[in-house]
Amino acid sequence: MFKYSSALLGIAVSFLAFAQNPNRQFISISNGTKGDDVVVNVNDGQYQISFFDDKIVETSFIPKGTETMPEASHAVIPTQSKFNGSVKILEKATKEGNYYDLSLAEAAIHVRIQETPFQISYWYKGKLLSSEANGYQLKETPQIQFNLTATEQLMGGGARSLGMNRRGYRLQLYNRAHYGYETRSDLMNFTMPIVISDQCYAIHFDNPQIGYLDLDSKKDNKLTYEVIGGPLRYQVIAADDWRNLTENLTNLTGHQPLPARWTLGNFASRFGYHSEAEARKVVEGFRQEQIPLDAIIFDLYWFGKEIQGTLGNFEFYRDSFPNPELMIADFKKQNVKTVLITEPFVLTTSKKWQEASSKKLLGTDTLGNPYRYDFYFGNTGLIDIYKPEARAWFWEIYKNLHTMGVAGFWGDLGEPEVHPTKLKHGDKWADEVHNIYGHDWAKLLYTGFEKEFSNERPFILMRAGYSGSQRYGMIPWSGDVNRTWGGLKPQMEISMQMGLQGMAYMHSDLGGFAGSNNDPELYVRWLQYGVFQPIFRPHAQEDVASEAIFKDAKTKALAKAAIELRYQLLPYNYSLAFVNSTSGHPLMRPIFMEFPEETWSFTEANSYMWGPSLLVHAITDSMKSSKDVVYITKLPTKVNWFDFHTGKLVHPDANQLVTTTKTLQYIPVFAKSGAFIPRINTISSTAQYTDTLVTLHCYLARPAAADTSVFLWYEDDGATKNAVLKGAAKMLRCEAISKANCYTLTLSPTIQDYAVLPFFQFEWSFHMDQAPTTVKVNGKKEKFTYDAQNQVLYLKSQQKMHFVKKEQVLQFKW
């Protein structure tokens, strides 16, 4: 029997006493028909409580008189309980009244159903997570409230610029573009009905319809979810730690497929390239300047000469692009992929209007006619992707372009940007599907690739989606940010918040998008930050060039250095992408995800973790804005830190603050002691990548306490979908365990039959603040030399290439 301590019961009673459903009366409780569920009957309806696993539980409310069952989830992947047998229902009595404790036989998450007054609460390992303050109420709009503790900090709600702690805000759930935003944006392109507490649990309201997420705006310690209609359903996700929370959330909503390696390279992009000749000049410029490049993105002008009047053409404008097939083929020979923008709008002036309207492929009015309306680009209709025939027609366009050689697709304006309330998608109104339009558009592309090009990893760039869009390979960006320091400031927050919610590839238009501000320092700082964001894609309105090749000599050199560093980190970044595809761990992580004891980091946005090993401090102010000659970074106390750029140990003060000299050459980055960072020399394209020319950097400060660091180095051919399932990958688990005055490194390879090479090959580079007294490799003493000035250790027998085919152990003692 599950037991609560008297102290916890006291907390629970006080927490729940003021939070009841006075008009909802308990009638009965029983096991459901699926085995992992429980049915609770009340006077005005029925609760269905389903356990997905030991840390995720779903609660649905079916009002009395409901004739149809709620529609299937758009966010949650089909899943079954991992456990055999039925949910245990234990009746318990206290002086406050009877309640029922629900759990799986081996579960860690518990649901408590209190009889009188009726109450539902959620517990994990004896700790109260949350409880309904008011269960689903059918007022003007359905709503539900949860209790909050007075000090809880809240995150979530999708992409916003509000600060890391979003408690106190009332968040609209309606995907909408915010052109030229800076440090404050209450509503953006990508909203999600997810709330994440600093107490390490999450609540996902599983309903895509428009509404509000009120994070205690009335200061009454209440979380309120309001929606216009749809299923009355939510999931509570418990976790042991922050990594585990992202694992559980993505187990619920799906994992991001591993993107192709070229996705992590440099993109040439602007609004936009007007002609084939202009695009060729840009690619040629990157190659002549020897600045790495992997892809070029074409904005609107590929299908028309003008911005307005052409959406929906969906074919190259031959006056400006006379031979796109040859252009794409020539770029491919230069290891440059071609990506095209598309939109879901078909203008009445476009080449496809007659076909789309006559075939009834568009959203309609109440009479079944194409719903036509005006917006910035012209008079338009909207492709109704909820009609099978419209999906097939739209996919055929993508299929033909991909067959032509187009490597990836950019889906723009997919909120949709203008989506009239009275537009109908079959039997649904626009507001019922608005927030999942981009999600289902990505699904259309992803499933099309699965069917027609099943061995490829699609590139799907979009700015609007919904919970779970990551499982369709969506790579979102943060919209039309202003090209100012104010535009740069919120980008870390946006990416970290979205990563916690499952969308690990949220990134920004590097350099900023909106406006004609030409600030070389801002451009450089944004690109230097971009080295450590998921996608490296400078993009902007064409008034000021976004490409490094068109900058002045000083700016170009600094931008080139940033791009080169991005490519040097390719094996590290690609490994982070693989881990995300299997675990949901984001690439950009709040510091508290790796160091939960650092509670100050819950409100910190400028500093963050890039994977498990690197702490990045983005510079978001001009050097001219302050007379200070140093930057100050706060570092976690648990481990020692090295300056990533110099390789030398840093020495924080008593408050864990470390200073670095102001320079425009790079931003402060620190590697934690115990870190493994595989790096390569600069290459011009990811197509030139080989895992045989890697240097494995290892950072080891003489330890004073116990700690464990783990990094998984992953390799495959960079292109084949599901390489692990096909036996065509290899992994090297790198573990560093420290105790007083000793580090033990264990390298454990897993090499599949069809891996490109059946071994790992690399050079070692050990960064140490002190020379050890002894070094052992597989139990045998190893000779070494130590460069005290640069704090680098070299193993005598392994100064060249090191080969790993089976487990190896290295030990360093001081």
Side-chain angles (χ1 to χ4, degrees):
M1 179 182 291
F2 191 87
K3 295 182 179 180
Y4 302 105
S5 71
S6 58
L8 283 170
L9 279 172
I11 294 170
V13 169
S14 63
F15 191 75
L16 302 177
F18 61 87
Q20 303 165 355
N21 292 316
N23 298 319
R24 186 157 289 156
Q25 299 172 11
F26 174 86
I27 295 175
S28 65
I29 185 169
S30 62
N31 287 103
T33 58
K34 296 183 294 182
D36 61 1
D37 63 328
V38 169
V39 174
V40 180
N41 291 303
V42 291
N43 62 307
D44 58 345
Q46 182 184 90
Y47 281 93
Q48 296 177 355
I49 300 173
S50 301
F51 287 78
F52 289 0
D53 59 28
D54 60 333
K55 294 173 185 173
I56 304 173
V57 64
E58 176 180 279
T59 298
S60 300
F61 181 65
I62 314 297
K64 182 177 287 187
T66 300
E67 296 180 358
T68 58
M69 294 300 293
E71 63 183 61
S73 176
H74 296 269
V76 176
I77 58 175
T79 184
Q80 295 180 346
S81 173
K82 300 175 184 175
F83 300 90
N84 296 320
S86 300
V87 178
K88 285 186 176 181
I89 303 175
L90 301 179
E91 184 174 1
K92 300 187 178 184
T94 69
K95 60 183 179 181
E96 287 80 24
N98 291 346
Y99 69 89
Y100 298 87
D101 182 77
L102 317 180
S103 68
L104 291 168
E106 301 177 44
I109 192 167
H110 287 243
V111 182
R112 180 193 290 189
I113 308 297
Q114 182 174 288
E115 283 190 3
T116 306
F118 183 77
Q119 180 70 52
I120 301 179
S121 57
Y122 300 89
W123 301 71
Y124 182 64
K125 293 186 176 179
K127 175 185 176 183
L128 177 64
L129 299 179
S130 189
S131 63
E132 289 189 2
N134 281 297
Y136 272 114
Q137 305 291 309
L138 302 180
K139 300 181 179 181
E140 290 183 6
T141 59
Q143 64 176 252
I144 186 171
Q145 280 189 333
F146 285 82
N147 292 302
L148 297 170
T149 65
T151 59
E152 268 184 273
Q153 299 183 67
L154 302 177
M155 298 166 282
R160 319 267 174 171
S161 175
L162 295 171
M164 287 297 288
N165 181 11
R166 294 174 175 178
R167 184 166 181 168
Y169 291 100
R170 178 173 163 82
L171 308 179
Q172 187 177 2
L173 298 171
Y174 187 90
N175 292 350
R176 178 182 291 155
H178 183 172
Y179 175 83
Y181 73 90
E182 294 189 346
T183 55
R184 174 69 182 266
S185 182
D186 293 66
L187 183 63
M188 294 174 62
N189 312 73
F190 201 129
T191 66
M192 286 190 280
I194 297 175
V195 180
I196 299 173
S197 167
D198 69 347
Q199 299 304 298
C200 207
Y201 73 88
I203 302 176
H204 175 242
F205 298 97
D206 190 8
N207 186 338
Q209 298 192 27
I210 68 172
Y212 285 88
L213 200 53
D214 191 316
L215 307 184
D216 194 28
S217 68
K218 297 178 181 177
K219 311 299 181 186
D220 57 357
N221 297 328
K222 296 291 189 298
L223 159 66
T224 306
Y225 171 67
E226 306 166 37
V227 67
I228 62 168
L232 307 179
R233 180 172 60 214
Y234 63 88
Q235 296 91 28
V236 177
I237 303 103
D240 295 315
D241 54 43
W242 288 99
R243 288 191 186 189
N244 187 228
L245 186 63
T246 60
E247 292 164 3
N248 297 340
L249 184 58
T250 52
N251 285 340
L252 180 72
T253 62
H255 290 110
Q256 179 100 22
L258 179 64
R261 187 181 278 118
W262 66 266
T263 304
L264 301 178
N266 179 32
F267 289 74
S269 184
R270 73 161 74 160
F271 182 22
Y273 300 120
H274 293 255
S275 68
E276 179 179 332
E278 184 179 26
R280 287 181 177 275
K281 180 180 177 182
V282 168
V283 172
E284 181 183 357
F286 274 94
R287 292 299 180 237
Q288 287 181 345
E289 295 283 354
Q290 297 184 340
I291 298 177
L293 181 68
D294 261 271
I296 182 169
I297 301 181
F298 289 86
D299 212 312
L300 301 176
Y301 298 110
W302 75 270
F303 53 76
K305 189 174 183 179
E306 305 295 336
I307 294 176
Q308 295 174 312
T310 59
L311 295 189
N313 282 344
F314 296 122
E315 59 185 56
F316 275 96
Y317 181 60
R318 296 278 173 166
D319 285 1
S320 301
F321 295 86
N323 196 337
E325 296 87 354
L326 180 61
M327 176 190 72
I328 294 168
D330 286 346
F331 288 165
K332 185 176 181 181
K333 291 177 183 176
Q334 298 176 71
N335 296 322
V336 176
K337 309 289 186 182
T338 298
V339 178
L340 299 182
I341 193 173
T342 57
E343 295 84 6
F345 299 96
V346 180
L347 300 188
T348 56
T349 54
S350 73
K351 295 180 179 180
K352 294 287 194 292
W353 170 258
Q354 190 58 43
E355 179 185 1
S357 58
S358 64
K359 291 183 177 179
K360 301 186 182 301
L361 307 176
L362 306 172
T364 66
D365 58 23
T366 54
L367 298 176
N369 300 314
Y371 195 111
R372 293 170 53 172
Y373 55 99
D374 294 322
F375 76 140
Y376 173 79
F377 296 95
N379 186 255
T380 194
L382 177 67
I383 298 173
D384 189 352
I385 60 173
Y386 298 97
K387 295 178 179 177
E389 59 272 24
R391 291 197 298 273
W393 177 82
F394 210 5
W395 167 249
E396 197 65 22
I397 290 170
Y398 288 116
K399 177 183 175 181
N400 292 337
L401 290 169
H402 187 62
T403 302
M404 183 189 291
V406 176
F409 295 101
W410 168 13
D412 200 14
L413 313 182
E415 293 78 20
E417 180 158 297
V418 179
H419 201 189
T421 296
K422 294 188 177 181
L423 185 151
K424 296 210 71 175
H425 296 275
D427 63 347
K428 293 186 180 295
W429 297 100
D431 288 349
E432 296 180 75
V433 299
H434 177 81
N435 288 336
I436 51 168
Y437 190 95
H439 175 86
D440 288 328
W441 185 11
K443 179 181 179 181
L444 182 158
L445 269 165
Y446 187 77
T447 55
F449 267 86
E450 276 192 320
K451 182 179 179 181
E452 305 278 357
F453 310 103
S454 60
N455 204 39
E456 297 184 33
R457 305 178 195 174
F459 177 81
I460 303 171
L461 177 68
M462 291 192 173
R463 76 181 189 187
Y466 178 63
S467 309
S469 290
Q470 71 274 1
R471 70 176 179 267
Y472 299 127
M474 183 189 289
I475 292 176
W477 88 100
S478 60
D480 296 339
V481 58
N482 218 16
R483 197 188 325 220
T484 59
W485 291 98
L488 172 59
K489 287 180 187 295
Q491 296 310 316
M492 303 92 230
E493 169 205 343
I494 293 170
S495 289
M496 283 190 285
Q497 290 262 359
M498 290 293 278
L500 288 172
Q501 297 170 74
M503 300 300 304
Y505 287 86
M506 174 58 81
H507 66 287
S508 62
D509 290 338
L510 296 182
F513 174 81
S516 56
N517 179 31
N518 187 7
D519 185 337
E521 183 189 0
L522 171 66
Y523 177 80
V524 168
R525 288 305 195 202
W526 214 316
L527 264 63
Q528 289 171 342
Y529 153 66
V531 172
F532 307 97
Q533 76 163 11
I535 302 294
F536 195 96
R537 187 183 55 84
H539 179 70
Q541 292 173 330
E542 61 184 335
D543 310 44
V544 178
S546 57
E547 304 90 347
I549 58 174
F550 296 117
K551 301 299 182 180
D552 63 84
K554 178 182 177 181
T555 304
K556 184 193 303 182
L558 291 167
K560 181 180 181 181
I563 296 168
E564 288 178 341
L565 179 56
R566 173 74 177 191
Y567 277 77
Q568 290 164 18
L569 286 170
L570 195 56
Y572 180 76
N573 294 348
Y574 192 60
S575 298
L576 299 186
F578 172 73
V579 169
N580 170 258
S581 73
T582 58
S583 70
H585 299 168
L587 289 76
M588 281 182 70
R589 307 173 185 180
I591 290 172
F592 62 76
M593 187 171 179
E594 296 296 320
F595 301 95
E597 66 279 1
E598 305 291 345
T599 55
W600 56 268
S601 67
F602 278 99
T603 56
E604 173 61 41
N606 277 19
S607 294
Y608 61 92
M609 296 298 296
W610 180 242
S613 306
L614 297 177
L615 189 150
V616 179
H617 180 174
I619 301 302
T620 59
D621 289 293
S622 171
M623 293 174 70
K624 305 168 189 173
S625 66
S626 170
K627 294 181 180 179
D628 294 339
V629 296
V630 295
Y631 291 119
I632 300 174
T633 307
K634 188 166 186 175
L635 300 175
T637 59
K638 187 177 180 181
V639 296
N640 292 307
W641 295 89
F642 290 79
D643 186 313
F644 175 70
H645 302 291
T646 66
K648 294 183 179 180
L649 188 72
V650 297
H651 301 280
D653 64 16
N655 296 313
Q656 281 301 109
L657 301 177
V658 64
T659 59
T660 49
T661 303
K662 275 190 176 180
T663 174
L664 198 54
Q665 301 300 311
Y666 47 76
I667 61 176
V669 181
F670 304 91
K672 74 173 186 178
S673 184
F676 298 87
I677 310 289
R679 290 179 64 171
I680 60 171
N681 292 326
T682 302
I683 52 179
S684 64
S685 163
T686 59
Q688 297 176 329
Y689 178 77
T690 171
D691 64 29
T692 61
L693 299 176
V694 176
T695 299
L696 185 57
H697 293 258
C698 186
Y699 298 82
L700 302 174
R702 180 176 178 174
D707 187 45
T708 300
S709 296
V710 177
F711 174 74
L712 185 67
W713 178 6
Y714 174 82
E715 294 288 352
D716 60 22
D717 66 4
T720 301
K721 188 175 180 180
N722 297 325
V724 172
L725 294 178
K726 295 170 182 174
K730 59 185 179 183
M731 288 153 272
L732 186 64
R733 187 179 187 274
C734 306
E735 180 183 65
I737 298 178
S738 68
K739 57 183 179 180
N741 300 318
C742 179
Y743 254 112
T744 301
L745 312 184
T746 304
L747 305 182
S748 305
T750 299
I751 300 172
Q752 296 184 310
D753 292 342
Y754 303 106
V756 176
L757 290 172
F759 52 81
F760 278 87
Q761 175 181 332
F762 55 89
E763 291 184 7
W764 274 116
S765 182
F766 294 101
H767 303 270
M768 298 183 180
D769 60 317
Q770 298 179 37
T773 53
T774 61
V775 177
K776 291 182 179 180
V777 177
N778 294 327
K780 296 181 179 180
K781 280 192 175 182
E782 179 78 14
K783 293 182 179 179
F784 63 88
T785 59
Y786 180 71
D787 179 348
Q789 182 176 353
N790 294 305
Q791 296 186 4
V792 178
L793 179 142
Y794 302 95
L795 299 180
K796 283 279 188 179
S797 65
Q798 297 169 6
Q799 288 183 4
K800 295 183 179 180
M801 283 295 173
H802 186 63
F803 293 85
V804 177
K805 295 183 71 174
K806 59 183 180 180
E807 184 172 279
Q808 296 189 11
V809 179
L810 294 82
Q811 191 175 70
F812 301 83
K813 286 188 176 181
W814 286 264

